Amino acid sequence: MTAPRRPASAAPPAGRGPGGGNRRHPGPRPRPFRGLARHSCANLASGKGQGRGFESASPSAPRLPALPLAFKLERRGGACGASDYNSQHATLWAAAAYSGATVSAICRGKKGGEREERFSWPHAIFIGSSFGKLSHLYHSKESRELISLELFATSNRYSSNSPNYRIFSTRSTIKLEYEGTLFTEWSVPEICFVLNKSSPRTELRCSSPGVHAIKPIVTGPDEEERNLFVDSSHTCFLWYYRVRHFFNNLTQVISVWVYDPENADPDELLGSAEEPSINSIVLSTQMATLGQKPIIHTILKRKAYVSNEKMKKGTWHIMVPMTRDDALKEIRGNQVTFQDCFIADFLIVLTFPLLTIPEIPGSLPISSPRGSQLMVSWDACVVASVVLVTDMETFQTNDSFHTWTRIRVPPGSLSDAERRSVADVIISRDGVFFLTNGVLYQKSFRGFLKLGRILNLPNGGITGISSRKWCWVKYLSKAKERRSNFAVWTENEVYLEYILLKFARLVTTTELKNILNLSVTATLTIHSVEYTGHPLEVAVFLSYCTICTVTRKIFLVIYNEDTKQWVSQDFTLDAPIDSVFVPYFVFSALPGLILWNKHSIYYCYHNFTFTGILQTPAGHGNLSMLSNDSIIHEVFIDYYGNILIKMENNVIFYSKINTRDVVKLHLWTNNTTRTFVLLSTSGYTYFLYALDNGTIQIQDYPLSLETRSVAFTTKDKCPYMAFHNNVARVFYFLDKGETLTLWTQIIYPENTGLYVVVESYGPKILEESHDISFEAAFGHCTKTLTITFYQNVDYEGLYDYFEMQHNNTGLVMVQLRPSEYSKTCPIAQKVFQIAVGCDDKKFIAVKGFSKKECHHHDFSYVIEKSYLRHQPAKNLKVRYIWKKYGCPLRLDFTEKFQPVIQLFDDNGYVKDVGANFIVWEIHGRDDYSFNNTMAQSGCLHEAQTWKSMIELNKHLPLEEVWGPEFLQPNSYVCNRDVWTDSQSKCLPGGCFPLRPDAALLHYSRFELLSVCEDL
């Protein structure tokens, strides 16, 4: 089944049920709080009040009602009962403390008398065992019995009609929403107009740009104040697109129109419109009249596609090819305004159509253990492709949960306990993989399969699986082997999975002991495996101990899938023997990661030279202390360096890579809804809600606005005003003799001394030259750094050319970053690759041999046997291959022919090749001749010839007797303007692939037929 997308502004349904649900949509199931403070009423024998002891005491107890539900406990004889709690799904758990709540109570002291008090949860505890009733409630500081109790846990949010909050300006309608029962009115600045000040759901407009403090006034404790940054942008309109797929020619037609989010139809705001609304038709037509026309730009290959047709019914139609390696695209328009408003560019991911695994009737759900947090895996290069595991079902989507299907398994394939024991999940091109009770299973279109020895995997004992987090579509691998998709490990072995479900064992702990020179008597186990930010590296975390009773050491080694080398890193962590750490490598050129346990975040940046524990402004490294003893559930990192730490109770902390501190963000949702933070295809964050009625809901999360609101309060400022560069790609190729020049610029206040740091990681095959320019004016400094990357390798005169080439090619990761940084800076660093070597997308062709400008017909010719080098008994009949060689070039036999070699890549023509080249005749003819002698061509020495090279290398086939490895200095033709031979392999100055059947020369009395393969 599929579920329609919720509006960007929509939250989980509100009502009387837990979590704001109602009888039709009851909301999320109540959940127990994980941590409890110890208090005077704790029962040491039962474990009540001792941390997580309540879960042990009552493992099957239902969860607490999702707040913001307000209910009262009133005196009923000798017990307290829930008087106005109304829910079909939630039952009170008596043995629990209410984390994150404010207690409002009518207290009766020992000496009598009653008064109302409010206090926070660490001083209150419910004691009792019967569900639905509470026997007593005590205050831990004073022995007092509470007669009535009311709990409040509230949150307030805002939204706009613009998806992902792209437009948040004076023109925008801001929708305010308060969850809770204590609401009185909204406090807003005078320059802002609120539609209904006393309504918990209302609309706000601010006529002036700037920072506006918005706060709900409530009868209970004060709520947080948000500082909304309202822009004065002239960007008012957005692009809307729909895609149709045509498999007959592997193309996609993108239908595009313009819409105004403030005057759009609901379907357009929901993203479900199939055609433009009347308002959008009028707006798009008007924009087209003014000269507007959308263009689809691809980010990686930098191609552009436009509509070749006239607008129809307010819609442009643009055809693009289906592609996997150029999926990131952007819809841009001309600089045209209507009523002083522009259209915002729109980033999309468009690849081959992705299908979700269909649900087969009669199948059974597969899920995580009861009470587990959400478990998510996504495709690194198609973030819209996600699989979600809850404690009820497993869901899959290919459009960021705008629609979704359930993944289920055939009856009898797993026991009931196995179906409810998913420990981890991964989505890849080969399907969805579940780890259950130490066994790996695959769910695909072909069915449900248990993986084991038949696929070179262990039948059991698997402790973890991990996939790539960062997308690198292009990379250089000298080994010419496919890289792995995900890793599987046991305590003593690591396996890698390759395309088409091929597994290979990478290493064992016994082998790692030898590699790392560790004691054979020590205990070494695999703690975890994680892919790094490098496209070809895998990190293995090792647990090491000699007396394994109290503590152990965590080591880190990195394996390069191209060089097949293991490198031990400068990383050691002392940890308790039973502790568990989760690693996550950040998007950077140098290895860098964050590592967390239940309570703290460790950071290791800049190749493990910048390390520590993230600290709050108050100096706390334990985030549980600031989140009511909740523990870390998820850490989200994006390509801009933003780090979100989400606790199990949905408290969110924020940091950024290369910084040491963390701040607490505003509460966005209640503390019992099961959520996960994900990245959308347009690069924005959104909340995923898994509700207990078996549905999935999404809600855009304004990460930038929320962090700016907190930064405004904490007075956090970026140390520089601007950081620019001209790095237009994430992947550059450098061939022999080429250079790459880039610039980066930083603008900062005077007397702060900032600069740009250039860092590289990989083989030492590139040299750099730096040029710095500096300007100072009006209290600001501008520092511009120009960097040139080049090689200084002489390939001439070598006797082992290919070894030199192999040693001086490879992949180098480079990053540019400011010397100082803070959480409010927009981009942490610029990361890109420089591949030094031969681009397999390059090819050469002889100019003038078209494949389309002639009629292709069955054509063959005969070469007389007397013209052939080996003197065969019969003439040789040769069939002309039009597809390979193209149209023949006709020349008068008296006309000199000198081929012009052109270089192409997957984007088309690049340049004419200036390198020397060698040519040979592929059928064995020896009746061709040359126009010039060596002396006439300007050679100082006798050049190498085919005859001399064949004589020198009799043991080699013709295509290998003469190549760059046999080239001697000054032995080739010195004047490139004189035609001396036919066509070539590569020589110093460039590396261009050319197979030995690349050229055919045929002389006749009247014409020269020269045919060259277009590779």
Side-chain angles (χ1 to χ4, degrees):
M1 67 174 289
T2 60
R5 180 192 179 190
R6 292 175 53 80
S9 60
R16 299 185 62 186
N22 50 43
R23 297 186 185 275
R24 178 173 295 180
H25 300 288
R29 186 179 65 256
R31 312 186 57 219
F33 292 102
R34 297 285 180 170
L36 237 74
R38 183 172 179 176
H39 49 81
S40 60
C41 298
N43 186 325
L44 300 179
S46 67
K48 295 179 180 180
Q50 303 296 314
R52 298 169 67 93
F54 282 149
E55 295 182 334
S56 301
S58 305
S60 60
R63 298 173 177 179
L64 288 174
L67 302 176
L69 168 72
F71 64 91
K72 293 182 179 180
L73 298 176
E74 58 188 25
R75 187 75 173 173
R76 292 184 178 179
C80 292
S83 62
D84 61 354
Y85 175 62
N86 185 7
S87 173
Q88 300 176 5
H89 300 274
T91 306
L92 289 177
W93 182 19
Y98 283 79
S99 171
T102 299
V103 177
S104 174
I106 303 298
C107 299
R108 184 179 64 193
K110 295 178 180 179
K111 298 180 180 180
E114 296 180 358
R115 66 180 185 274
E116 183 176 357
E117 286 190 4
R118 296 181 183 271
F119 45 85
S120 58
W121 72 268
H123 307 301
I125 181 66
F126 296 104
I127 301 298
S129 58
S130 60
F131 301 132
K133 291 186 177 181
L134 303 177
S135 58
H136 290 85
L137 188 146
Y138 290 98
H139 191 277
S140 61
K141 288 187 176 181
E142 298 181 38
S143 178
R144 294 178 297 181
E145 183 180 1
L146 302 185
I147 297 177
S148 66
L149 173 73
E150 189 170 6
L151 297 181
F152 310 100
T154 61
S155 64
N156 63 88
R157 291 185 291 267
Y158 56 95
S159 61
S160 72
N161 290 328
S162 174
N164 305 121
Y165 301 82
R166 282 192 187 89
I167 303 174
F168 203 79
S169 65
T170 54
R171 193 176 180 273
S172 302
T173 299
I174 303 172
K175 299 177 181 179
L176 303 179
E177 176 187 357
Y178 176 84
E179 279 189 319
T181 60
L182 306 178
F183 178 80
T184 300
E185 65 178 15
W186 291 99
S187 171
V188 301
E190 293 183 357
I191 57 175
C192 296
F193 169 76
V194 62
L195 189 62
N196 186 350
K197 199 173 186 178
S198 59
S199 173
R201 293 172 181 262
T202 188
E203 294 182 357
L204 174 75
R205 283 182 179 270
C206 295
S207 58
S208 299
V211 182
H212 302 297
I214 310 296
K215 179 181 178 180
I217 305 299
V218 296
T219 57
D222 285 346
E223 290 286 340
E224 285 184 297
E225 182 178 75
R226 270 192 171 88
N227 302 293
L228 296 186
F229 281 71
V230 178
D231 199 2
S232 60
S233 172
H234 286 279
T235 300
C236 313
F237 309 134
L238 298 172
W239 295 108
Y240 191 102
Y241 78 99
R242 304 297 296 174
V243 181
R244 288 180 296 161
H245 308 286
F246 296 90
F247 292 96
N248 59 328
N249 58 0
L250 296 179
T251 60
Q252 295 164 314
V253 173
I254 306 176
S255 301
V256 182
W257 66 84
V258 185
Y259 77 103
D260 180 358
E262 298 301 320
N263 297 283
D265 276 7
D267 287 346
E268 290 177 318
L269 297 179
L270 287 170
S272 59
E274 297 294 333
E275 59 185 21
S277 62
I278 297 298
N279 288 340
S280 298
I281 291 175
V282 173
L283 177 60
S284 299
T285 304
Q286 183 64 42
M287 296 291 281
T289 303
L290 296 173
Q292 185 58 268
K293 194 172 186 180
I295 304 173
I296 306 294
H297 291 265
T298 67
I299 304 301
L300 296 180
K301 295 187 177 180
R302 312 191 69 77
K303 295 182 178 180
Y305 301 92
V306 297
S307 175
N308 295 321
E309 303 175 355
K310 291 184 178 180
M311 170 184 281
K312 297 178 181 178
K313 297 181 179 180
T315 305
W316 293 274
H317 301 283
I318 305 172
M319 181 179 292
V320 300
M322 291 183 184
T323 178
R324 187 186 300 275
D325 59 356
D326 201 17
L328 195 60
K329 300 174 173 66
E330 190 172 43
I331 305 177
R332 304 175 190 169
N334 299 325
Q335 293 298 314
V336 175
T337 65
F338 177 66
Q339 296 180 349
D340 294 330
C341 283
F342 292 93
I343 308 173
D345 296 339
F346 191 41
L347 191 69
I348 62 176
V349 175
L350 193 60
T351 181
F352 277 89
L354 301 174
L355 302 177
T356 56
I357 301 173
E359 181 182 340
I360 300 175
S363 297
L364 300 176
I366 182 170
S367 64
S368 57
R370 196 69 172 174
S372 299
Q373 290 288 332
L374 302 187
M375 197 181 304
V376 171
S377 175
W378 64 92
D379 188 309
C381 290
V382 187
V383 293
S385 179
V386 187
V387 61
L388 163 70
V389 179
T390 72
D391 60 0
M392 295 180 62
E393 291 274 5
T394 296
F395 305 90
Q396 185 184 5
T397 181
N398 58 14
D399 58 3
S400 298
F401 288 103
H402 296 165
T403 61
W404 46 266
T405 58
R406 291 185 177 92
I407 295 180
R408 295 190 167 188
V409 298
S413 59
L414 295 173
S415 67
D416 290 346
E418 289 172 330
R419 286 192 299 105
R420 301 188 183 101
S421 301
V422 175
D424 210 343
V425 66
I426 277 178
I427 186 171
S428 80
R429 296 180 183 179
D430 292 320
V432 178
F433 296 84
F434 296 96
L435 178 60
T436 301
N437 292 343
V439 180
L440 194 62
Y441 297 87
Q442 180 210 29
K443 176 66 175 179
S444 66
F445 292 96
R446 296 183 295 273
F448 187 70
L449 177 65
K450 179 180 179 180
L451 309 181
R453 289 296 177 193
I454 191 172
L455 291 173
N456 199 32
L457 274 180
N459 290 325
I462 296 175
T463 56
I465 53 179
S466 178
S467 61
R468 299 183 185 276
K469 301 296 190 299
W470 305 110
C471 179
W472 291 106
V473 175
K474 296 186 70 176
Y475 55 91
L476 176 67
S477 176
K478 295 192 291 183
K480 303 300 181 184
E481 297 178 2
R482 288 185 178 270
R483 64 175 184 169
S484 61
N485 296 321
F486 65 86
V488 181
W489 68 92
T490 66
E491 283 192 350
N492 301 300
E493 297 175 317
V494 178
Y495 297 82
L496 297 180
E497 191 270 348
Y498 300 89
I499 195 69
L500 301 178
L501 211 61
K502 295 181 180 179
F503 290 90
R505 189 172 68 181
L506 175 63
V507 74
T508 66
T509 51
T510 302
E511 295 168 344
L512 286 171
K513 283 183 180 181
N514 295 330
I515 295 172
L516 301 175
N517 296 320
L518 298 177
S519 171
V520 294
T521 61
T523 301
L524 185 69
T525 58
I526 308 294
H527 178 273
S528 60
V529 179
E530 187 75 14
Y531 286 92
T532 72
H534 192 287
L536 296 170
E537 290 188 345
V538 185
V540 179
F541 292 84
L542 301 171
S543 175
Y544 175 83
C545 58
T546 53
I547 302 176
C548 305
T549 56
V550 180
T551 62
R552 59 177 175 163
K553 291 185 180 295
I554 304 294
F555 293 148
L556 172 61
V557 291
I558 292 181
Y559 175 76
N560 189 292
E561 295 190 67
D562 186 29
T563 63
K564 314 298 183 186
Q565 293 180 343
W566 290 91
V567 178
S568 178
Q569 303 298 314
D570 185 16
F571 175 90
T572 303
L573 182 65
D574 294 318
I577 196 68
D578 59 347
S579 60
V580 176
F581 293 89
V582 182
Y584 198 137
F585 280 84
V586 300
F587 184 69
S588 62
L590 276 64
L593 65 99
I594 60 173
L595 194 73
W596 69 91
N597 55 22
K598 293 181 180 180
H599 313 290
S600 301
I601 303 287
Y602 300 81
Y603 61 86
C604 302
Y605 301 138
H606 307 161
N607 204 7
F608 310 105
T609 61
F610 183 61
T611 62
I613 299 177
L614 289 180
Q615 302 287 326
T616 64
H620 294 294
N622 188 331
L623 302 184
S624 298
M625 296 177 61
L626 298 179
S627 55
N628 298 324
D629 278 355
S630 184
I631 62 175
I632 297 173
H633 167 225
E634 174 203 359
V635 175
F636 167 88
I637 310 177
D638 64 13
Y639 289 90
Y640 302 101
N642 296 306
I643 301 176
L644 290 179
I645 302 113
K646 192 187 82 67
M647 312 299 284
E648 286 192 348
N649 64 355
N650 294 327
V651 172
I652 297 180
F653 296 91
Y654 175 74
S655 184
K656 210 148 191 175
I657 65 172
N658 303 334
T659 62
R660 301 174 183 267
D661 59 335
V662 61
V663 294
K664 187 177 179 180
L665 297 182
H666 302 296
L667 185 65
W668 185 258
T669 189
N670 63 64
N671 56 8
T672 57
T673 305
R674 291 177 298 166
T675 65
F676 207 93
V677 182
L678 289 168
L679 188 69
S680 69
T681 55
S682 53
Y684 295 90
T685 54
Y686 68 94
F687 261 93
L688 171 66
Y689 299 96
L691 307 181
D692 282 347
N693 59 2
T695 62
I696 302 297
Q697 295 176 355
I698 59 174
Q699 183 183 32
D700 294 334
Y701 180 65
L703 175 58
S704 176
L705 291 172
E706 289 292 272
T707 56
R708 293 176 71 183
S709 174
V710 173
F712 183 82
T713 303
T714 60
K715 309 300 180 182
D716 188 8
K717 293 184 178 180
C718 184
Y720 55 86
M721 272 73 73
F723 176 57
H724 301 296
N725 58 75
N726 70 333
V727 180
R729 305 184 180 187
V730 295
F731 185 84
Y732 290 91
F733 242 118
L734 272 188
D735 207 337
K736 298 183 184 71
E738 294 181 344
T739 62
L740 174 64
T741 300
L742 303 169
W743 61 262
T744 178
Q745 184 180 82
I746 186 169
I747 303 174
Y748 56 92
E750 281 184 333
N751 302 320
T752 55
L754 300 188
Y755 56 93
V756 176
V757 179
V758 182
E759 297 170 310
S760 62
Y761 174 78
K764 306 301 180 183
I765 55 178
L766 283 177
E767 297 189 34
E768 302 175 20
S769 65
H770 293 189
D771 181 65
I772 300 176
S773 62
F774 177 82
E775 295 180 6
F778 303 106
H780 295 91
C781 299
T782 301
K783 192 175 292 184
T784 304
L785 172 64
T786 302
I787 319 115
T788 299
F789 299 93
Y790 64 96
Q791 275 195 319
N792 190 16
V793 180
D794 185 5
Y795 286 94
E796 296 185 3
L798 297 175
Y799 289 94
D800 201 340
Y801 174 87
F802 286 117
E803 181 180 358
M804 175 65 76
Q805 178 177 270
H806 185 272
N807 293 338
N808 286 279
T809 57
L811 184 65
V812 180
M813 303 286 292
V814 181
Q815 68 185 20
L816 311 174
R817 63 176 178 87
S819 57
E820 292 184 17
Y821 195 69
S822 78
K823 296 183 297 298
T824 55
C825 298
I827 299 177
Q829 53 202 16
K830 190 69 176 181
V831 181
F832 58 96
Q833 303 178 62
I834 301 178
V836 182
C838 294
D839 185 356
D840 58 1
K841 301 297 184 181
K842 283 184 178 180
F843 61 92
I844 59 174
V846 180
K847 183 179 180 180
F849 293 89
S850 170
K851 292 186 176 181
K852 299 180 180 179
E853 295 180 359
C854 59
H855 175 64
H856 293 192
H857 58 280
D858 189 9
F859 169 64
S860 60
Y861 59 95
V862 176
I863 303 176
E864 294 184 20
K865 59 184 179 181
S866 61
Y867 296 153
L868 298 174
R869 183 180 298 110
H870 302 293
Q871 298 296 312
K874 296 181 179 180
N875 295 338
L876 178 64
K877 185 175 182 180
V878 179
R879 185 173 181 273
Y880 187 76
I881 305 175
W882 295 89
K883 185 177 180 180
K884 179 183 291 188
Y885 300 128
C887 301
L889 181 64
R890 295 183 177 274
L891 296 172
D892 187 89
F893 77 99
T894 61
E895 185 178 350
K896 292 183 179 180
F897 172 68
Q898 178 175 338
V900 176
I901 310 300
Q902 295 181 322
L903 177 64
F904 296 83
D905 61 13
D906 52 354
N907 289 322
Y909 170 80
V910 177
K911 64 179 181 179
D912 289 348
V913 177
N916 296 288
F917 54 89
I918 304 169
V919 206
W920 62 92
E921 203 281 323
I922 63 176
H923 296 298
R925 298 185 62 129
D926 61 1
D927 61 331
Y928 54 84
S929 60
F930 300 97
N931 297 324
N932 283 25
T933 65
M934 294 179 191
Q936 291 173 330
S937 297
C939 286
L940 303 177
H941 305 279
E942 180 180 354
Q944 292 172 328
T945 64
W946 276 112
K947 183 177 180 180
S948 64
M949 297 308 296
I950 292 173
E951 187 68 24
L952 183 63
N953 299 288
K954 294 180 180 180
H955 61 290
L956 296 176
L958 179 64
E959 62 270 16
E960 296 181 12
V961 299
W962 198 1
E965 69 273 29
F966 299 117
L967 185 69
Q968 300 299 319
N970 301 318
S971 63
Y972 46 83
V973 175
C974 305
N975 188 345
R976 295 174 183 167
D977 295 330
V978 180
W979 166 239
T980 59
D981 234 312
S982 304
Q983 206 194 355
S984 77
K985 291 205 291 186
C986 61
L987 279 181
C991 194
F992 316 111
L994 189 64
R995 292 190 291 272
D997 59 347
L1000 169 68
L1001 294 179
H1002 173 63
Y1003 277 94
S1004 68
R1005 179 170 296 182
F1006 300 103
E1007 64 183 24
L1008 168 67
L1009 174 65
S1010 177
V1011 183
C1012 294
E1013 177 185 3
D1014 183 7
L1015 296 178

